[in-house]
Amino acid sequence: MDEFEFISTCLAPLAGPGGLGLKDDAAIFKPRAGKDLVITKDTMVEGVHFPYGHHGAKTAEKLLRVNLSDLAAKGAKPVGYLLSIVWPRGVDERSFKDFASGLAAIQKKYGFKLLGGDTTSTDGAMVVTATLIGEVPENEMVKRSGAKASDDIWVTGTIGDAYLGLQFVLGRPLDPKPKTAAVKRFEDAYFRPEPRLSFAEALKSYASACADISDGLIADAGHISTASGVMFNLQLEDIPLSKQAALWVNEERERLKTLVTAGDDYELIFTSTSSNTLALLEAADKSGLKLTKIGTVSAGAGVKVSTANGKTVEFSKTGHKHF
Ligand code: ADP
Ligand code: MG
């Protein structure tokens, strides 16, 4: 299968009306009246963001899922995307179809279509990039910069499962050895993070600031605190873990610090005034989402993490940096 067959047989069926069947030089996209477009891009590199040799559906799914997580954090709904694929030369042809099937599954699940992209190849590692377009009512995008002193700090889901999944993927044994169901939970968290789009509407109504957690909870908390010009005060023991991750942490308390700085969680961290507490919990309940208050905002700068007995926690690193 050559480049053009790949586009016409595997990708063209995924295109929306604006994609013109992937038969033109470019796509056309008309924003709806009264909406702002929210645009985000994430790149994944083989051997960095996904394991070597994973050229198929798992990688395609994760690419869209991590991009959708950015849209969710901004309170946006996905409407379309552009996709760039750099295939490793000589890749098994089955990967083409498999990759497209991963895209199709996520498009269907979240209701958006392909607009266009670019395809090329390399002697090196596979690189995939997606640019997602979402929409919000005009001026309603949730920014990182709106957190105010005395706001509460919340996080969705649980933190650290994806890190434990990655240890499995890398063949590093965990101690104590998790049960099969736990391994499945960890691997799913790593390969198939759930973009919190079901909570986007609530964020738009109640959040003063939000970011998705891709670099590590402490690092991403820092991104909001810097953008908002306020201080984040987090309570270490309040950070929610799955039962399975808690078993790993109970072996050695220091491990909690690893999980809150590890990244790849794709949960949302956001701030909201305390009068919204009930409304937030109700919205979370409705979307079947766990929501946990992990701290409060104050005047100042930076992120201060305290333990239940009042000690300040020091971190040698707060999250992942690409370079
Ligand atoms: P050009 O030569 O101008 O780069 P291409 O031949 O690469 O154009 O692309 C032809 C069509 O196929 C365009 O509509 C383009 O958007 C689409 N396309 C190419 N690669 C991809 C991809 N990876 N994902 C989605 N659409 C693609
Ligand atoms: Mg091209």
Side-chain angles (χ1 to χ4, degrees):
M1 197 186 294
D2 68 16
E3 174 194 342
F4 297 106
E5 279 175 86
F6 169 62
I7 294 170
S8 64
T9 62
C10 298
L11 296 180
L14 303 177
L20 308 172
L22 306 185
K23 288 180 184 138
D24 211 316
D25 295 302
I28 183 156
F29 184 83
K30 199 191 282 293
R32 294 200 296 167
K35 303 282 186 188
D36 283 339
L37 298 184
V38 176
I39 302 168
T40 184
K41 179 205 252 347
D42 265 312
T43 294
M44 299 195 338
V45 179
E46 183 177 7
V48 180
H49 302 92
F50 61 94
Y52 283 106
H54 283 225
H55 301 137
K58 265 190 182 168
T59 295
E61 276 209 19
K62 184 157 181 184
L63 178 68
L64 293 184
R65 285 170 180 277
V66 305
N67 274 284
L68 288 168
S69 174
D70 278 314
L71 290 186
K74 303 299 102 186
K77 260 210 227 49
V79 290
Y81 71 109
L82 295 162
L83 172 69
S84 152
I85 310 175
V86 185
W87 288 109
R89 235 184 290 284
V91 66
D92 182 343
E93 279 208 5
R94 269 179 309 184
S95 298
F96 294 158
K97 284 194 182 136
D98 195 35
F99 192 89
S101 77
L103 299 173
I106 298 299
Q107 288 187 205
K108 185 155 175 244
K109 182 158 190 216
Y110 298 103
F112 63 107
K113 292 269 167 83
L114 184 59
L115 289 167
D118 198 28
T119 306
T120 181
S121 66
T122 175
D123 288 326
M126 185 176 184
V127 180
V128 289
T129 303
T131 303
L132 261 74
I133 303 173
E135 66 175 21
V136 289
E138 245 169 299
N139 302 316
E140 286 190 22
M141 187 182 98
V142 182
K143 300 194 180 120
R144 287 182 176 183
S145 57
K148 302 261 179 330
S150 90
D151 278 353
D152 291 329
I153 304 167
W154 296 87
V155 70
T156 61
T158 58
I159 297 300
D161 299 304
Y163 169 82
L164 296 171
L166 177 61
Q167 305 316 300
F168 258 87
V169 171
L170 296 175
R172 297 178 188 152
L174 292 175
D175 172 36
K177 189 168 182 278
K179 297 213 171 81
T180 316
V183 173
K184 166 105 177 61
R185 181 189 177 102
F186 297 156
E187 284 190 335
D188 270 358
Y190 177 74
F191 283 114
R192 318 181 70 224
E194 186 65 46
R196 301 305 188 187
L197 287 162
S198 64
F199 203 62
E201 198 61 40
L203 283 177
K204 238 177 343 109
S205 307
Y206 307 119
S208 51
C210 183
D212 79 328
I213 303 173
S214 54
D215 295 337
L217 182 141
I218 305 300
D220 288 308
H223 295 149
I224 304 180
S225 100
T226 303
S228 298
V230 292
M231 183 170 176
F232 266 41
N233 305 276
L234 301 179
Q235 213 49 54
L236 185 66
E237 292 86 353
D238 288 350
I239 296 172
L241 303 182
S242 66
K243 270 193 223 112
Q244 296 86 342
L247 283 177
W248 183 75
V249 164
N250 287 344
E251 192 71 15
E252 195 189 314
R253 291 307 291 172
E254 276 293 293
R255 289 177 172 182
L256 185 50
K257 285 167 71 174
T258 303
L259 296 190
V260 300
T261 54
D264 249 350
D265 295 298
Y266 300 104
E267 295 295 349
L268 304 177
I269 176 166
F270 66 93
T271 54
S272 186
T273 178
S274 60
S275 59
N276 289 331
T277 300
L278 212 59
L280 281 170
L281 291 172
E282 267 173 18
D285 206 42
K286 238 198 215 154
S287 42
L289 197 59
K290 181 181 165 81
L291 194 59
T292 310
K293 185 185 158 191
I294 58 169
T296 50
V297 180
S298 65
V303 178
K304 184 179 173 205
V305 183
S306 311
T307 62
N309 53 21
K311 287 213 183 79
T312 301
V313 187
E314 301 296 337
F315 291 94
S316 54
K317 85 182 216 323
T318 57
H320 180 74
K321 287 191 182 130
H322 289 98
F323 57 86

